Amino acid sequence: MSLTEKPEETPERQEFYARIDKHAMTPLWTVLSNIITPEPKSACQPHLWKYDAAKAFLLESGSLITAKEAERRVLILENPGMRGSSRITTSLYAGLQLVMPGEVAPAHRHSQSALRFVLDGAGAHTAVNGERTNMQFGDFVITPPGAWHDHGNTTDQPMIWLDGLDIPIVGFFDASFAEGYSDDEQLVSRKTGDSFARYGANMLPVDHQQDRLASPIFNYPYARSREALEVMKAQDEWDPCHGLKMRYVNPVDGGWAMPTISPFLQLLPKGFKTASYRSTDATVYVPTEGHGRSTIDGKVFAWGPKDIFVVPSWKWVSHEVDDEAVLFSYSDRVAQQKLGLFRDDRGNS
Ligand code: GTQ
C-alpha cells in the first residue's frame, strides 16, 4: 500500500473491478493517490488577463446585448486549466461586468456572495437591501448572500467592475437558490451612505445584534483604504512576503468582510521584491496602481493597473515592483480557515 503508487493491474483484479463496476462500486486502491495527494494538485493554472484587451471585448459585447437581456452583461475570466467550468480558481469565479449609461441590471438575489471591485467609470450605483451606493475606482463593494441587488448607471460613461463570486463553492455544496425581483429596480428605503455611517465610523449601534456573517458595510471606498495604506507606509515596516497587506473586515466581529471570500489590499513600495510565499488559497489579484512582475510557479507575469492575474493553490509566488504598487486581491481563505484547511508557507523568510 502506498499513497503515491498504484497496485498492479492483474487480469483477476480487472475482471473483479468490471463486475463491481456494474453495482456502482469501485476499488479505492486504484484511485487513492489521485484523490488524497501529498500536497495540492490543482488544475488551476497561473494566468494573466491584460485589462485593455479584456475591456475592448467587454465594450464590444455592449453592442451585442443589453444588460437587461443578459440579466448581467459579464465576460467570465475562465482559468485556462479549467475551461468550461466558469471559474478562475477551483473555488471562485471572476468576471468583468459592463453597465452602459442609462442601463439597469435588474434586481435579483441568490445564495452566492459577490464582491465588486470597480475598475472603470465613476458614479454608477449598485443597490443592496434597499440602499444605493455610488461606485468609484478601487471601491470594494459587497453583495451578501441572499441580498436583493441591482445595478444602474445614470452617468454618461460605461461602468466596468470585476465581479468575484463564490459560485463554485455554492455549487460544490449544491446550495444554490436564486430569484428575480418584481421590478427592474428594488425599492430604495435607506439613504445613500447610511450603512457606512452606521457601521464604518468605528462605532456600532449600541444594541446591534449580529444577524449575518457578511459585513453590514457594503462599500469600502478606495479613498479611505488607500489613505490608510499611505499613513502606514511612513512607518517603513515591510513584511518580507507581503509588503504592507491589510484584510477587509466585518466591523461587528473583526472577522472577514464576507463569509466565503477573503478580500485584501496591499502596498509594495517602489523597487520592493517580496520573498517567495505559497498558500492553499488560490488568489485573484488586481493591481490598482504601479507596475511590476509576479513570478508564479517559475513563470513571470508582467502587470500594470487593472490587469488581473491568478495564483493557484500552493504555487510559489513573489512580486517585484518598479514603482509603488497597490494590489487588491481575493481568495477563499476565510472558507478554508473555517474548515481547518488553510495552510501557508513563508519559505525562508
Ligand atoms: O451582478 O448579480 O458576474 O448574479 C455573475 C452573477 C454578477 C450580479 C456576475 C451575478 C452577478
Side-chain angles (χ1 to χ4, degrees), residues 162 245 266 277 283-287 307-311 317 319 327-330:
L162 179 74
K245 187 166 185 173
Q266 83 193 91
Y277 174 80
T283 304
V284 179
Y285 285 88
V286 196
D307 292 340
I308 298 125
F309 63 93
V310 56
V311 180
V317 59
H319 312 290
L327 295 99
F328 174 81
S329 58
Y330 69 93

PDB file of all heavy atoms in Angstrom, residues 162 245 266 277 283-287 307-311 317 319 327-330:
ATOM      1  N   LEU A 162     -14.854  44.400 -11.682  1.00  0.00           N
ATOM      2  CA  LEU A 162     -14.563  42.973 -11.570  1.00  0.00           C
ATOM      3  C   LEU A 162     -15.552  42.367 -10.574  1.00  0.00           C
ATOM      4  O   LEU A 162     -15.715  42.894  -9.471  1.00  0.00           O
ATOM      5  CB  LEU A 162     -13.134  42.768 -11.057  1.00  0.00           C
ATOM      6  CG  LEU A 162     -12.714  41.298 -10.862  1.00  0.00           C
ATOM      7  CD1 LEU A 162     -12.466  40.626 -12.201  1.00  0.00           C
ATOM      8  CD2 LEU A 162     -11.456  41.206  -9.997  1.00  0.00           C
ATOM      9  N   LYS A 245       0.217  44.512   3.956  1.00  0.00           N
ATOM     10  CA  LYS A 245      -1.006  43.859   3.451  1.00  0.00           C
ATOM     11  C   LYS A 245      -2.085  43.877   4.514  1.00  0.00           C
ATOM     12  O   LYS A 245      -1.863  43.447   5.643  1.00  0.00           O
ATOM     13  CB  LYS A 245      -0.694  42.416   3.034  1.00  0.00           C
ATOM     14  CG  LYS A 245      -1.854  41.713   2.334  1.00  0.00           C
ATOM     15  CD  LYS A 245      -1.383  40.434   1.663  1.00  0.00           C
ATOM     16  CE  LYS A 245      -2.496  39.777   0.866  1.00  0.00           C
ATOM     17  NZ  LYS A 245      -2.013  38.635   0.088  1.00  0.00           N
ATOM     18  N   GLN A 266      -3.043  45.596  -0.555  1.00  0.00           N
ATOM     19  CA  GLN A 266      -1.658  45.666  -0.121  1.00  0.00           C
ATOM     20  C   GLN A 266      -0.877  46.698  -0.897  1.00  0.00           C
ATOM     21  O   GLN A 266      -1.211  47.004  -2.050  1.00  0.00           O
ATOM     22  CB  GLN A 266      -0.993  44.288  -0.215  1.00  0.00           C
ATOM     23  CG  GLN A 266      -0.446  43.870  -1.550  1.00  0.00           C
ATOM     24  CD  GLN A 266      -0.107  42.379  -1.596  1.00  0.00           C
ATOM     25  OE1 GLN A 266      -0.945  41.554  -1.963  1.00  0.00           O
ATOM     26  NE2 GLN A 266       1.117  42.033  -1.230  1.00  0.00           N
ATOM     27  N   TYR A 277       6.373  32.999  -1.409  1.00  0.00           N
ATOM     28  CA  TYR A 277       5.300  32.638  -0.481  1.00  0.00           C
ATOM     29  C   TYR A 277       4.370  31.685  -1.201  1.00  0.00           C
ATOM     30  O   TYR A 277       4.195  31.779  -2.418  1.00  0.00           O
ATOM     31  CB  TYR A 277       4.550  33.923  -0.094  1.00  0.00           C
ATOM     32  CG  TYR A 277       3.321  33.719   0.761  1.00  0.00           C
ATOM     33  CD1 TYR A 277       3.422  33.507   2.130  1.00  0.00           C
ATOM     34  CD2 TYR A 277       2.043  33.758   0.189  1.00  0.00           C
ATOM     35  CE1 TYR A 277       2.293  33.332   2.915  1.00  0.00           C
ATOM     36  CE2 TYR A 277       0.907  33.580   0.968  1.00  0.00           C
ATOM     37  CZ  TYR A 277       1.042  33.363   2.329  1.00  0.00           C
ATOM     38  OH  TYR A 277      -0.081  33.189   3.115  1.00  0.00           O
ATOM     39  N   THR A 283      -5.378  32.700  -5.321  1.00  0.00           N
ATOM     40  CA  THR A 283      -5.718  34.119  -5.149  1.00  0.00           C
ATOM     41  C   THR A 283      -5.791  34.862  -6.478  1.00  0.00           C
ATOM     42  O   THR A 283      -4.942  34.682  -7.350  1.00  0.00           O
ATOM     43  CB  THR A 283      -4.669  34.784  -4.226  1.00  0.00           C
ATOM     44  OG1 THR A 283      -4.621  34.049  -2.990  1.00  0.00           O
ATOM     45  CG2 THR A 283      -5.014  36.228  -3.920  1.00  0.00           C
ATOM     46  N   VAL A 284      -6.814  35.719  -6.585  1.00  0.00           N
ATOM     47  CA  VAL A 284      -7.004  36.580  -7.756  1.00  0.00           C
ATOM     48  C   VAL A 284      -6.501  37.982  -7.395  1.00  0.00           C
ATOM     49  O   VAL A 284      -6.930  38.539  -6.376  1.00  0.00           O
ATOM     50  CB  VAL A 284      -8.501  36.668  -8.145  1.00  0.00           C
ATOM     51  CG1 VAL A 284      -8.705  37.578  -9.352  1.00  0.00           C
ATOM     52  CG2 VAL A 284      -9.069  35.274  -8.395  1.00  0.00           C
ATOM     53  N   TYR A 285      -5.604  38.522  -8.182  1.00  0.00           N
ATOM     54  CA  TYR A 285      -5.016  39.841  -7.921  1.00  0.00           C
ATOM     55  C   TYR A 285      -5.450  40.858  -8.976  1.00  0.00           C
ATOM     56  O   TYR A 285      -5.532  40.522 -10.163  1.00  0.00           O
ATOM     57  CB  TYR A 285      -3.485  39.772  -7.994  1.00  0.00           C
ATOM     58  CG  TYR A 285      -2.830  39.127  -6.803  1.00  0.00           C
ATOM     59  CD1 TYR A 285      -2.622  37.752  -6.759  1.00  0.00           C
ATOM     60  CD2 TYR A 285      -2.402  39.893  -5.722  1.00  0.00           C
ATOM     61  CE1 TYR A 285      -2.004  37.161  -5.663  1.00  0.00           C
ATOM     62  CE2 TYR A 285      -1.785  39.315  -4.630  1.00  0.00           C
ATOM     63  CZ  TYR A 285      -1.594  37.955  -4.600  1.00  0.00           C
ATOM     64  OH  TYR A 285      -0.980  37.379  -3.522  1.00  0.00           O
ATOM     65  N   VAL A 286      -5.679  42.095  -8.531  1.00  0.00           N
ATOM     66  CA  VAL A 286      -5.923  43.226  -9.435  1.00  0.00           C
ATOM     67  C   VAL A 286      -5.123  44.416  -8.930  1.00  0.00           C
ATOM     68  O   VAL A 286      -5.504  45.030  -7.925  1.00  0.00           O
ATOM     69  CB  VAL A 286      -7.406  43.673  -9.447  1.00  0.00           C
ATOM     70  CG1 VAL A 286      -7.673  44.553 -10.660  1.00  0.00           C
ATOM     71  CG2 VAL A 286      -8.349  42.527  -9.390  1.00  0.00           C
ATOM     72  N   PRO A 287      -4.015  44.766  -9.586  1.00  0.00           N
ATOM     73  CA  PRO A 287      -3.307  45.979  -9.198  1.00  0.00           C
ATOM     74  C   PRO A 287      -4.153  47.211  -9.517  1.00  0.00           C
ATOM     75  O   PRO A 287      -4.838  47.238 -10.548  1.00  0.00           O
ATOM     76  CB  PRO A 287      -2.051  45.971 -10.074  1.00  0.00           C
ATOM     77  CG  PRO A 287      -1.965  44.572 -10.637  1.00  0.00           C
ATOM     78  CD  PRO A 287      -3.356  44.044 -10.677  1.00  0.00           C
ATOM     79  N   ASP A 307      -4.873  45.086 -14.657  1.00  0.00           N
ATOM     80  CA  ASP A 307      -4.693  43.723 -15.167  1.00  0.00           C
ATOM     81  C   ASP A 307      -5.143  42.760 -14.062  1.00  0.00           C
ATOM     82  O   ASP A 307      -5.142  43.109 -12.885  1.00  0.00           O
ATOM     83  CB  ASP A 307      -3.224  43.459 -15.521  1.00  0.00           C
ATOM     84  CG  ASP A 307      -2.767  44.285 -16.720  1.00  0.00           C
ATOM     85  OD1 ASP A 307      -3.629  44.755 -17.489  1.00  0.00           O
ATOM     86  OD2 ASP A 307      -1.539  44.465 -16.872  1.00  0.00           O
ATOM     87  N   ILE A 308      -5.511  41.566 -14.459  1.00  0.00           N
ATOM     88  CA  ILE A 308      -5.998  40.587 -13.485  1.00  0.00           C
ATOM     89  C   ILE A 308      -5.145  39.333 -13.610  1.00  0.00           C
ATOM     90  O   ILE A 308      -4.957  38.827 -14.724  1.00  0.00           O
ATOM     91  CB  ILE A 308      -7.477  40.259 -13.751  1.00  0.00           C
ATOM     92  CG1 ILE A 308      -8.333  41.524 -13.576  1.00  0.00           C
ATOM     93  CG2 ILE A 308      -7.993  39.154 -12.813  1.00  0.00           C
ATOM     94  CD1 ILE A 308      -9.168  41.840 -14.758  1.00  0.00           C
ATOM     95  N   PHE A 309      -4.614  38.850 -12.486  1.00  0.00           N
ATOM     96  CA  PHE A 309      -3.869  37.598 -12.576  1.00  0.00           C
ATOM     97  C   PHE A 309      -4.205  36.679 -11.419  1.00  0.00           C
ATOM     98  O   PHE A 309      -4.709  37.109 -10.379  1.00  0.00           O
ATOM     99  CB  PHE A 309      -2.352  37.832 -12.703  1.00  0.00           C
ATOM    100  CG  PHE A 309      -1.677  38.516 -11.557  1.00  0.00           C
ATOM    101  CD1 PHE A 309      -1.087  37.790 -10.535  1.00  0.00           C
ATOM    102  CD2 PHE A 309      -1.593  39.906 -11.502  1.00  0.00           C
ATOM    103  CE1 PHE A 309      -0.431  38.414  -9.476  1.00  0.00           C
ATOM    104  CE2 PHE A 309      -0.942  40.546 -10.452  1.00  0.00           C
ATOM    105  CZ  PHE A 309      -0.356  39.802  -9.433  1.00  0.00           C
ATOM    106  N   VAL A 310      -3.947  35.391 -11.642  1.00  0.00           N
ATOM    107  CA  VAL A 310      -4.373  34.396 -10.667  1.00  0.00           C
ATOM    108  C   VAL A 310      -3.193  33.514 -10.261  1.00  0.00           C
ATOM    109  O   VAL A 310      -2.393  33.086 -11.099  1.00  0.00           O
ATOM    110  CB  VAL A 310      -5.569  33.575 -11.220  1.00  0.00           C
ATOM    111  CG1 VAL A 310      -5.265  32.913 -12.543  1.00  0.00           C
ATOM    112  CG2 VAL A 310      -6.038  32.524 -10.218  1.00  0.00           C
ATOM    113  N   VAL A 311      -3.089  33.299  -8.950  1.00  0.00           N
ATOM    114  CA  VAL A 311      -2.050  32.442  -8.368  1.00  0.00           C
ATOM    115  C   VAL A 311      -2.736  31.183  -7.818  1.00  0.00           C
ATOM    116  O   VAL A 311      -3.546  31.283  -6.902  1.00  0.00           O
ATOM    117  CB  VAL A 311      -1.320  33.172  -7.216  1.00  0.00           C
ATOM    118  CG1 VAL A 311      -0.250  32.274  -6.610  1.00  0.00           C
ATOM    119  CG2 VAL A 311      -0.720  34.488  -7.701  1.00  0.00           C
ATOM    120  N   VAL A 317       4.842  32.169  -5.145  1.00  0.00           N
ATOM    121  CA  VAL A 317       4.669  33.456  -5.811  1.00  0.00           C
ATOM    122  C   VAL A 317       5.584  34.488  -5.166  1.00  0.00           C
ATOM    123  O   VAL A 317       5.785  34.486  -3.946  1.00  0.00           O
ATOM    124  CB  VAL A 317       3.186  33.925  -5.777  1.00  0.00           C
ATOM    125  CG1 VAL A 317       2.665  34.064  -4.355  1.00  0.00           C
ATOM    126  CG2 VAL A 317       3.010  35.247  -6.525  1.00  0.00           C
ATOM    127  N   HIS A 319       6.477  38.895  -5.853  1.00  0.00           N
ATOM    128  CA  HIS A 319       6.168  40.095  -6.635  1.00  0.00           C
ATOM    129  C   HIS A 319       7.369  41.032  -6.593  1.00  0.00           C
ATOM    130  O   HIS A 319       8.029  41.151  -5.561  1.00  0.00           O
ATOM    131  CB  HIS A 319       4.965  40.848  -6.051  1.00  0.00           C
ATOM    132  CG  HIS A 319       3.770  39.999  -5.742  1.00  0.00           C
ATOM    133  ND1 HIS A 319       2.989  39.434  -6.719  1.00  0.00           N
ATOM    134  CD2 HIS A 319       3.230  39.625  -4.548  1.00  0.00           C
ATOM    135  CE1 HIS A 319       2.001  38.748  -6.135  1.00  0.00           C
ATOM    136  NE2 HIS A 319       2.132  38.846  -4.830  1.00  0.00           N
ATOM    137  N   LEU A 327      -2.183  46.538  -4.672  1.00  0.00           N
ATOM    138  CA  LEU A 327      -2.877  45.392  -5.242  1.00  0.00           C
ATOM    139  C   LEU A 327      -4.077  45.004  -4.386  1.00  0.00           C
ATOM    140  O   LEU A 327      -3.939  44.813  -3.173  1.00  0.00           O
ATOM    141  CB  LEU A 327      -1.953  44.164  -5.334  1.00  0.00           C
ATOM    142  CG  LEU A 327      -0.757  44.254  -6.265  1.00  0.00           C
ATOM    143  CD1 LEU A 327       0.497  44.594  -5.477  1.00  0.00           C
ATOM    144  CD2 LEU A 327      -0.543  42.942  -6.977  1.00  0.00           C
ATOM    145  N   PHE A 328      -5.212  44.879  -5.043  1.00  0.00           N
ATOM    146  CA  PHE A 328      -6.378  44.269  -4.415  1.00  0.00           C
ATOM    147  C   PHE A 328      -6.297  42.782  -4.729  1.00  0.00           C
ATOM    148  O   PHE A 328      -5.811  42.395  -5.794  1.00  0.00           O
ATOM    149  CB  PHE A 328      -7.657  44.866  -5.017  1.00  0.00           C
ATOM    150  CG  PHE A 328      -8.922  44.194  -4.530  1.00  0.00           C
ATOM    151  CD1 PHE A 328      -9.478  44.528  -3.305  1.00  0.00           C
ATOM    152  CD2 PHE A 328      -9.559  43.222  -5.298  1.00  0.00           C
ATOM    153  CE1 PHE A 328     -10.636  43.902  -2.847  1.00  0.00           C
ATOM    154  CE2 PHE A 328     -10.722  42.588  -4.849  1.00  0.00           C
ATOM    155  CZ  PHE A 328     -11.260  42.924  -3.623  1.00  0.00           C
ATOM    156  N   SER A 329      -6.771  41.938  -3.813  1.00  0.00           N
ATOM    157  CA  SER A 329      -6.817  40.509  -4.123  1.00  0.00           C
ATOM    158  C   SER A 329      -7.945  39.848  -3.359  1.00  0.00           C
ATOM    159  O   SER A 329      -8.459  40.412  -2.382  1.00  0.00           O
ATOM    160  CB  SER A 329      -5.478  39.836  -3.810  1.00  0.00           C
ATOM    161  OG  SER A 329      -5.125  40.016  -2.463  1.00  0.00           O
ATOM    162  N   TYR A 330      -8.348  38.686  -3.817  1.00  0.00           N
ATOM    163  CA  TYR A 330      -9.340  37.904  -3.068  1.00  0.00           C
ATOM    164  C   TYR A 330      -9.091  36.417  -3.242  1.00  0.00           C
ATOM    165  O   TYR A 330      -8.544  35.979  -4.245  1.00  0.00           O
ATOM    166  CB  TYR A 330     -10.777  38.293  -3.445  1.00  0.00           C
ATOM    167  CG  TYR A 330     -11.250  37.925  -4.833  1.00  0.00           C
ATOM    168  CD1 TYR A 330     -11.931  36.722  -5.069  1.00  0.00           C
ATOM    169  CD2 TYR A 330     -11.070  38.781  -5.922  1.00  0.00           C
ATOM    170  CE1 TYR A 330     -12.414  36.390  -6.330  1.00  0.00           C
ATOM    171  CE2 TYR A 330     -11.535  38.455  -7.188  1.00  0.00           C
ATOM    172  CZ  TYR A 330     -12.211  37.260  -7.389  1.00  0.00           C
ATOM    173  OH  TYR A 330     -12.676  36.934  -8.631  1.00  0.00           O
TER     174      TYR A 330
END
